[in-house]
Amino acid sequence: MDAKDVMRTAVTTVTPETRVSTAHQWLTRRAARMRHLPVVTDAGTLVGILTDRDVRRTAASDAPPMAEHELLYLLDKLCVRDIMTPEVVTVQGTTPVAEAGQLFLQKKFGCLPVVRDNHTLEGILIMTDLLRAYTAQSEAERWVSVGSMMHTPVITAMPTMSLAEVQRVMRDSNIRHVPVVSGQRLVGIITDRDLREASPSPATTLTRGEIAYQMETTPVRTCMTTDVVWLAPGITMANAARELWQRAIGCLPIVEHGTLVGVVTDMDCLRAFLHTAHSAESRET
């Protein structure tokens, strides 16, 4: 199976001359659920990539007294080429899916653009595409259990913690999902997307300092997801992968006898599949 068999061809792109404020609006649209925007010329040649993290990093450098709508005015003065990443790792349509998966693991990418020989954009691969392909083509019974690959101990939050505290935990630990517990009992989960959606809209007249105060005084319980999808340690990683891509989520808490004991992510499922596929190849040879 090659990249062209599982890639997405309907790709939202921007040009180097696109205003950062416009890209920001694309990335923060709740219905879009995008984190990456390939940057292409008018001829379709890939010249860079812009992520939501690039935009947040640019916005964070502005003065706290500035109102959010004033921040957008500043972002409107910047072009995508000013903050994009120009050195983009790509694959071609004929690249084996397993090879693309190794790149995701090695580089910790969120997406891989697929290009033609002339470097024009043909499509894009995201983690969900790989998980869907892997679960469809593999023998689930060969996959190891969730309990053998879950992350433990787990970084957690309490319902009374502030949104700002959780935001700092995510930044310092470089994670995007934090289970919320009461004692050891799982009561919710909060993601970086939840935090962004909890922030006021760009049209607000609040200053960035006032927004920061609001985040410091708002508890996690007000915007966490309480209907949490979780798995038991004995479930296979194949089933975990299927849950992740079907629900378009990136993390699954692992619960045993009512207690949170670990988490698995989409990267863990990718690693499990590649390990299983390698083991199967070794047995055949």
Side-chain angles (χ1 to χ4, degrees), residues 12 20 140:
T12 301
V20 173

Side-chain angles (χ1 to χ4, degrees), residues 63-72 204-208 211:
M66 188 174 299
E68 195 73 1
H69 71 278
E70 294 173 312
L71 169 63
L72 285 185
T204 182
T205 57
L206 293 175
T207 66
R208 306 208 77 207
I211 292 173

Side-chain angles (χ1 to χ4, degrees), residues 133-194:
Y134 290 159
T135 54
Q137 73 174 19
S138 66
E139 297 179 35
E141 65 270 13
R142 288 185 176 180
W143 287 48
V144 296
S145 69
V146 161
S148 65
M149 297 199 72
M150 66 186 181
H151 293 277
T152 185
V154 188
I155 296 173
T156 61
M158 295 179 294
T160 54
M161 283 178 64
S162 72
L163 298 183
E165 286 180 274
V166 175
Q167 203 167 40
R168 287 191 287 270
V169 167
M170 288 184 183
R171 182 187 62 239
D172 295 344
S173 304
N174 195 28
I175 55 178
R176 296 188 288 114
H177 317 84
V178 178
V180 183
V181 297
S182 177
Q184 290 297 310
R185 185 172 60 88
L186 181 70
V187 295
I189 193 166
I190 188 163
T191 70
D192 59 346
R193 191 183 301 276
D194 295 327

Side-chain angles (χ1 to χ4, degrees), residues 89-105:
V89 176
T90 63
V91 294
Q92 293 191 314
T94 54
T95 301
V97 169
E99 184 177 327
Q102 290 288 0
L103 283 173
F104 270 93
L105 283 183

Side-chain angles (χ1 to χ4, degrees), residues 18 38 45 56 61 126 131 146 166 168 248:
T18 301
T45 302
R56 290 201 306 271
S61 65
I126 64 173
L131 295 183
V146 161
V166 175
R168 287 191 287 270

Side-chain angles (χ1 to χ4, degrees), residues 180-255:
V180 183
V181 297
S182 177
Q184 290 297 310
R185 185 172 60 88
L186 181 70
V187 295
I189 193 166
I190 188 163
T191 70
D192 59 346
R193 191 183 301 276
D194 295 327
L195 292 176
R196 289 200 302 275
E197 293 182 353
S199 299
S201 76
T204 182
T205 57
L206 293 175
T207 66
R208 306 208 77 207
E210 289 170 329
I211 292 173
Y213 175 77
Q214 181 173 304
M215 296 291 281
E216 289 283 2
T217 55
T218 303
V220 165
R221 63 172 176 267
T222 61
C223 66
M224 69 183 187
T225 298
T226 55
D227 186 17
V228 187
V229 179
W230 55 269
L231 297 178
I235 298 297
T236 67
M237 290 294 283
N239 287 326
R242 190 172 292 108
E243 287 286 344
L244 288 171
W245 74 256
Q246 288 180 342
R247 297 177 183 274
I249 55 179
C251 173
L252 282 166
I254 309 304
V255 176

